[in-house]
Amino acid sequence: MKYGRTYNFSAGPAMMPEPVLEEIAAEMMNYRGSGMCVMEMSHRSKVFQQIRDEAEADLRKLMGIPDNYKVLFIQGGGTVQFAMVAM
């Protein structure tokens, strides 16, 4: 590894491949020519909507989620998931 990184084998977040991190770093200041970072843009913008649509398509393909199921992107992890069951 050219960055002298530490191997992370924990149950939570794990190491990401260096090429992925390099792509993220390159797009941090100007995501795909949008002029801003993903964290700066509106969740209603066309650029962000493309990110969301691509993420949903990838997730559906990876997990075999049928079209008659909704995919929700929410914050909070497992804790919120359990609270949402009653909702």
Side-chain angles (χ1 to χ4, degrees), residues 17-38:
E18 289 179 358
V20 172
L21 294 173
E22 289 168 346
E23 181 179 347
I24 292 168
E27 293 181 340
M28 184 56 71
M29 299 302 286
N30 187 1
Y31 178 77
R32 297 185 183 175
S34 68
M36 64 184 98
C37 171
V38 172

Side-chain angles (χ1 to χ4, degrees), residues 43-86:
H43 65 284
R44 293 182 179 100
S45 70
K46 289 181 181 181
V47 176
F48 190 83
Q49 187 63 42
Q50 290 172 340
I51 295 168
R52 197 207 71 75
D53 291 345
E54 184 179 331
E56 181 178 341
D58 290 346
L59 192 60
R60 285 185 181 281
K61 182 178 176 183
L62 178 68
M63 300 184 70
I65 301 171
D67 291 337
N68 62 329
Y69 279 64
K70 299 285 186 190
V71 175
L72 303 176
F73 293 101
I74 57 174
Q75 63 186 12
T79 303
V80 170
Q81 180 181 352
F82 292 126
M84 300 262 311
V85 168

Side-chain angles (χ1 to χ4, degrees), residues 8-15:
N8 180 3
F9 293 110
S10 68
M15 289 181 71

